[in-house]
Amino acid sequence: MLVERDDLLRGLSASMDAALAGDGGLVFIGGEAGVGKTSLVRALAEGAAGRCRIRAGSVDNVTTADALAAFHDAVPEIRGMLAEPGDRIALFRALRAALQAEPSLVILEDLHWADEATLDALRFLARRLDGVPVLIVGTYRDDEVTARHPLTAVLGDLATAPRIDRVAVPPLTVDGVGELVAAAGAAVDPATLHARTGGNAFFVSELLAAEATTSPTDPGRPASLPASVSDAVLARFSRLPPAARDAAAAAATLGTAADAALIAAVAGRDLDAVDLCLDDGVLVERPEGIGFRHVLARQAVEAGLSALRARQLHRRALHEVSERTPEDHRRIAHHAAGCGESATAALHATAAARQAARLGAHREAASQFRAALRHGVAGPERAGVFVALSYECYLTDQLPEAITARQHALELHELHDDRAAVGEDERWLSRLSWFLGRGSDAERYATRAIATLEPLGPSPALAMAFSNLAQLRMLAWDSAEAEAWGARALELAVRLGEVEIQAHALNNMGVAAVLAGRVTQGTARLEQSLDLALAGGLEEHVARAYTNLGSVAVDQRRYAPGLRSLEAGIAYCEDHDLDSWTRYMQAWHCVVLGEVGRFDEALALATTLLDYPGISPVSAIPAASAAGRVAARRGDDAADHVSLATSLASGTGELQRIGPAACAAAEDAWIHDRAGEIPGLTEAAWGLAVEHRDPWAIGELAWWRSLAGIAPSEGLEAADPFARMLAGGWEAAAAAWEEIGSPVWTAYAAMLDPDASHADSRIRGLDGLGATAAAAAVLRTRRERGLPAPRRPRASARANPGQLTARELDVLTLLARGLSNPEIAATLVVSPRTVEHHVSAVLRKLGEPTRGRAVAAALREGLLEDA
């Protein structure tokens, strides 16, 4: 019985109508366990049954999630591809093609337990729903999806995608509980029942069905299940005939859903026993099979089994599942473990892990490799499992465990005197140590790997060890050593025909050459790396090449080529669902946008990135730095952004992180007339810049420090535009920045020009960008140096006491017309997040707490008439 869900159902039905018309959609339905998500989607399916195909799938928590588990039953057309090696993107494309073939409603239950491959498939599909007549509905427990949960990242990634919706299912009210009580004909006070269950529909219905309000507690009850509800479930279970109880116990052991014949076989009963459970409502029939009405009920029954009974059922399940679906390694391993068959559990857990890894379900793969080790996988295979576990943990950012597992593998390989494997272990320990910020360990393992592998003769492992050391040298700004080791890696990789290692080595050598000032040569090497990776389908190396082409260009203020590389790289990574790489390049995109004066875009993109749960520090640092600089220049509060960037950067020890964060902090301090803080804010970055002799970092840091009264040191090689500024060549410096394409730095370069007419037009450029605080700081600095100040503000600014930018005046005008944020976004062709930022700026600058009062203040001041 569906209660208090009419509005939600109407909204879903409207989405269903749009999907069947060709505008495919994805809806995430969240709510606590038992709140009624399944009942809601079942009602939607009943209404759509005559108009399209109903596809249903689910994920269970009996064991680790199976790779693409949610799509196994929902889209059986792809099952044949799951057991075959191949391209994961090709599998996702086949999934989309299957859904495109006919109008469908796809119901995916319990996505909070979903494996990574399922979540990646959802990302892929969500971005490619145009022209696909399908509505995908996924349910999840929102109280179990934390900030670092993988599903949270998916929800964040798709937050701005079209036709993606989120629906929250609330608990029932007292009136809603009253409707269920009346329908059941129970003599129960609705208010009391509501207080005991919190309005949870499953809890209410179970208590009503059992007609029980009190019972003794059970120490074996699942912790997530309230005592009264667990007792109600077990009360229903205990009233079943013995044969039906056996069937229900078998179903609880098997998991979320199974066919009737399998349940009967595991129970040791005939099919009538399953029918009895269905008749009583303890079990229900769904498209994906027979199971409990709710996973909480299954947990209660499973927890109530004795250890001996559970072992017996697992043994039968092991036999039946092995006979029926021998390829289902995950379930075979689970049931083998349940009945004490450790060797079988280890064997199938390893097979399940390798299958999960192939499909990109790396967290599930790691869980299964752990299980294999726990069940005692032995002999040479044990070292291999540690190697595989280490790699899966590396891919899933579980770095401490990754390095521990690889150290175990190293010990076992040394025990068996497998020198080639020892060298590979040492090379990987070098890489993992670098990720953990253990620079000396990374260097030590890198040189040890080469020493171990070189006596064994030429090999791909040796070539990769050379390239690994080249990368470490490149990251340390030792360009000569980076290129020397890179050349050795490249020569050996070419000789062995190892294209992936060639791409890796060329990338390292290219960045090293660019850092050494040989931009043309370095860029050519990076482009060669990109071409090899594209031709070989080496997706991660494609992303790495685009990233370094773009980020190095931006770092050297070559904004036009940097922008081209970043935009091409972002498009590639979005098409291939390489989200981590996408975010990293988007963070550098924020930097470019801020420096070329596209402030709205920079701030909107940075805000979106920083809202992602679990965003990596290397992506958060440039995004926060860029956001802080834009906010400071506009007169907004930049403190949070600057603090985030500097705190994250300080732990890296790397100039490429610490330098930009320190410069953002210095600019914010100067704009807000706190130049005395600049020496302290830039000290660490300055030391690194001088040590690495980075001309761009030296130049900008020296400029900010000069504004704090610290004269540039003799002999420092600053990049040309900064060198001109530090030497007082104001007009030449401004011209150089104009050619680079940065109106902000063009104005800063003209800031101390004695000729006020030269400074005037550049400062007016800041006003045009909305960088009013930066313009004010420029004028303040000129006055402090005794230089004539250009005329400012302009006439339009004098009539604009809030100093609103042109775009903020546009937003204010539309607010006065009563438009909502989405309507303003559509009118101005910008994102809703950008509109939110503008509205906040308008309220702050006008000093009003609400939109209505801001509009009233603007009318009083005449701002709207002028606009």
Side-chain angles (χ1 to χ4, degrees):
M1 181 178 177
L2 201 63
V3 174
E4 296 185 332
R5 302 292 184 248
D6 291 346
D7 289 344
L8 297 178
L9 186 58
R10 274 193 293 271
L12 290 172
S13 297
S15 298
M16 188 77 249
D17 293 340
L20 295 182
D23 290 331
L26 170 60
V27 181
F28 292 100
I29 300 180
E32 66 180 11
V35 78
K37 303 180 294 295
T38 297
S39 298
L40 179 62
V41 296
R42 194 170 296 158
L44 175 66
E46 289 172 358
R51 306 161 60 200
C52 64
R53 178 174 176 178
I54 308 299
R55 298 173 175 268
S58 63
V59 190
D60 66 47
N61 69 334
V62 174
T63 177
T64 61
D66 199 3
L68 281 175
F71 290 102
H72 281 191
D73 295 311
V75 192
E77 295 94 321
I78 67 166
R79 286 180 186 169
M81 298 182 67
L82 295 176
E84 301 172 0
D87 181 7
R88 192 167 63 121
I89 296 299
L91 175 60
F92 291 169
R93 287 175 179 150
L95 177 59
R96 182 183 184 276
L99 295 177
Q100 192 171 22
E102 60 180 321
S104 301
L105 168 63
V106 180
I107 299 171
L108 307 175
E109 295 263 36
D110 295 322
L111 290 178
H112 50 281
W113 289 323
D115 61 285
E116 289 162 292
T118 294
L119 297 180
D120 286 345
L122 281 173
R123 280 192 184 95
F124 181 91
L125 292 171
R127 294 164 176 162
R128 297 162 179 85
L129 288 173
D130 289 338
V132 182
V134 62
L135 179 66
I136 303 173
V137 177
T139 68
Y140 68 99
R141 296 183 185 177
D142 55 10
D143 54 338
E144 293 190 20
V145 177
T146 62
R148 295 187 60 82
H149 193 285
L151 181 57
T152 303
V154 175
L155 296 172
D157 290 340
L158 301 179
T160 58
R163 297 187 295 280
I164 309 299
D165 294 317
R166 291 171 67 175
V167 172
V169 181
L172 298 174
T173 66
V174 174
D175 290 341
V177 172
E179 289 187 48
L180 292 177
V181 169
V188 177
D189 176 50
T192 302
L193 187 56
H194 180 272
R196 292 183 59 204
T197 61
N200 184 289
F202 171 73
F203 296 169
V204 171
S205 60
E206 282 300 308
L207 288 172
L208 289 174
E211 295 183 354
T213 55
T214 59
S215 63
T217 58
D218 176 5
R221 178 184 302 106
S224 60
L225 201 59
S228 57
V229 177
S230 181
D231 291 337
V233 171
L234 294 176
R236 295 183 69 188
F237 175 75
S238 67
R239 289 200 299 268
L240 292 171
R245 285 202 300 274
D246 288 343
T253 302
L254 286 166
T256 300
D259 64 67
L262 177 58
I263 294 172
V266 173
R269 299 286 188 170
D270 57 30
L271 288 172
D272 289 343
V274 180
D275 288 337
L276 288 171
C277 292
L278 292 169
D279 291 341
D280 193 81
V282 170
L283 298 180
V284 295
E285 192 166 10
R286 298 185 182 130
E288 65 271 27
I290 293 171
F292 285 85
R293 190 158 60 88
H294 198 283
V295 68
L296 296 177
R298 187 197 68 77
Q299 289 175 340
V301 172
E302 186 180 36
L305 299 175
S306 69
L308 181 63
R309 180 64 171 144
R311 190 182 185 92
Q312 180 188 51
L313 289 169
H314 276 297
R315 187 174 300 283
R316 288 180 185 167
L318 172 62
H319 173 75
E320 294 296 333
V321 173
S322 298
E323 288 287 324
R324 295 162 187 261
T325 54
E327 74 283 357
D328 195 348
H329 301 291
R330 180 181 67 103
R331 289 190 179 278
I332 292 173
H334 170 66
H335 293 306
C339 65
E341 295 284 349
S342 297
T344 301
L347 176 68
H348 286 277
T350 302
R354 299 199 188 283
Q355 183 180 44
R358 181 175 58 79
L359 293 171
H362 298 294
R363 289 187 181 276
E364 287 64 45
S367 294
Q368 289 290 359
F369 280 129
R370 290 188 199 103
L373 291 165
R374 190 168 60 249
H375 296 314
V377 62
E381 179 69 11
R382 187 169 184 83
V385 172
F386 272 122
V387 167
L389 172 60
S390 176
Y391 184 66
E392 298 305 315
C393 290
Y394 159 72
L395 292 177
T396 53
D397 200 25
Q398 302 175 76
L399 294 176
E401 184 177 3
I403 202 167
T404 299
R406 200 80 198 204
Q407 286 167 338
H408 285 311
L410 174 62
E411 292 170 1
L412 290 170
H413 286 140
E414 286 180 330
L415 184 65
H416 293 93
D417 198 28
D418 188 342
R419 303 310 298 164
V422 167
E424 269 285 86
D425 292 335
E426 289 168 337
R427 197 261 301 173
W428 265 105
L429 285 167
S430 169
R431 181 160 181 76
L432 293 169
S433 296
W434 178 81
F435 272 104
L436 285 167
R438 304 172 186 172
S440 59
D441 287 347
E443 292 282 344
R444 177 168 55 85
Y445 279 123
T447 54
R448 276 178 53 180
I450 293 172
T452 300
L453 293 168
E454 212 161 14
L456 304 179
S459 67
L462 179 61
M464 196 63 198
F466 289 156
S467 194
N468 175 67
L469 189 54
Q471 184 177 9
L472 290 176
R473 294 288 186 261
M474 176 267 287
L475 291 166
W477 285 68
D478 187 345
S479 296
E481 283 288 291
E483 293 189 69
W485 285 108
R488 295 186 67 180
L490 183 61
E491 184 276 329
L492 183 52
V494 169
R495 182 152 41 110
L496 297 174
E498 291 289 337
V499 176
E500 183 173 2
I501 301 174
Q502 293 176 48
H504 191 272
L506 283 165
N507 197 311
N508 299 328
M509 296 168 70
V511 175
V514 172
L515 295 178
R518 300 191 305 279
V519 175
T520 301
Q521 180 191 36
T523 301
R525 285 174 175 169
L526 283 166
E527 289 175 345
Q528 187 180 356
S529 172
L530 174 61
D531 291 341
L532 284 173
L534 285 168
L538 306 171
E539 294 178 1
E540 185 173 355
H541 291 279
V542 172
R544 185 169 178 250
Y546 273 129
T547 295
N548 285 341
L549 277 166
S551 61
V552 172
V554 172
D555 190 56
Q556 296 188 338
R557 278 63 169 183
R558 293 181 286 113
Y559 293 137
L563 199 57
R564 287 194 298 271
S565 294
L566 290 173
E567 288 176 345
I570 290 167
Y572 177 89
C573 290
E574 286 182 336
D575 188 52
H576 291 78
D577 292 292
L578 303 173
D579 293 300
S580 295
W581 288 102
T582 299
R583 290 174 199 156
Y584 185 68
M585 281 188 272
Q586 284 176 329
W588 278 96
H589 199 197
C590 294
V591 176
V592 185
L593 295 174
E595 294 308 294
V596 300
R598 293 162 61 178
F599 289 169
D600 289 347
E601 297 170 74
L603 200 57
L605 179 56
T607 303
T608 299
L609 286 171
L610 295 171
D611 280 346
Y612 282 125
I615 184 172
S616 68
V618 294
S619 297
I621 292 165
S625 297
R629 299 184 90 144
V630 169
R633 291 165 184 171
R634 298 171 86 157
D636 297 334
D637 185 0
D640 287 345
H641 292 311
V642 170
S643 175
L644 175 63
T646 53
S647 63
L648 290 175
S650 64
T652 68
E654 296 179 357
L655 176 60
Q656 61 182 317
R657 322 289 176 204
I658 293 173
C663 288
E667 184 173 4
D668 178 54
W670 166 70
I671 286 174
H672 291 93
D673 200 15
R674 304 192 315 271
E677 299 176 9
I678 291 176
L681 293 171
T682 58
E683 191 64 35
W686 177 251
L688 287 172
V690 172
E691 176 187 346
H692 294 311
R693 302 178 66 182
D694 177 0
W696 289 99
I698 286 173
E700 183 172 358
L701 288 164
W703 170 251
W704 294 123
R705 290 164 71 86
S706 74
L707 294 180
I710 302 176
S713 305
E714 294 291 333
L716 290 177
E717 297 182 3
D720 180 70
F722 287 114
R724 294 177 186 273
M725 292 168 69
L726 293 166
W730 312 116
E731 184 59 25
W737 282 112
E738 283 178 338
E739 185 175 352
I740 287 172
S742 175
V744 175
W745 280 100
T746 298
Y748 289 174
M751 177 167 59
L752 299 181
D753 192 326
D755 188 335
S757 64
H758 290 166
D760 181 63
S761 62
R762 274 70 182 247
I763 298 172
R764 289 180 184 275
L766 290 178
D767 276 319
L769 295 173
T772 54
V778 168
L779 294 174
R780 184 192 70 238
T781 303
R782 287 184 67 84
R783 287 193 298 270
E784 291 170 352
R785 303 295 175 95
L787 297 172
R791 291 179 293 107
R792 188 183 177 273
R794 299 166 294 172
S796 60
R798 285 195 296 271
N800 179 356
Q803 294 296 292
L804 302 181
T805 66
R807 181 46 59 92
E808 288 164 356
L809 285 170
D810 291 339
V811 170
L812 181 59
T813 301
L814 296 174
L815 285 176
R817 296 177 189 170
L819 271 62
S820 65
N821 279 11
E823 291 168 335
I824 294 173
T827 302
L828 298 179
V829 196
V830 297
S831 72
R833 191 176 293 276
T834 298
V835 173
E836 289 174 11
H837 170 75
H838 286 316
V839 170
S840 297
V842 167
L843 298 182
R844 180 185 54 75
K845 290 182 178 182
L846 294 180
E848 298 293 348
T850 66
R851 298 167 183 235
R853 289 182 58 172
V855 169
L859 289 170
R860 287 195 304 271
E861 299 290 347
L863 288 177
L864 292 175
E865 293 178 359
D866 291 343

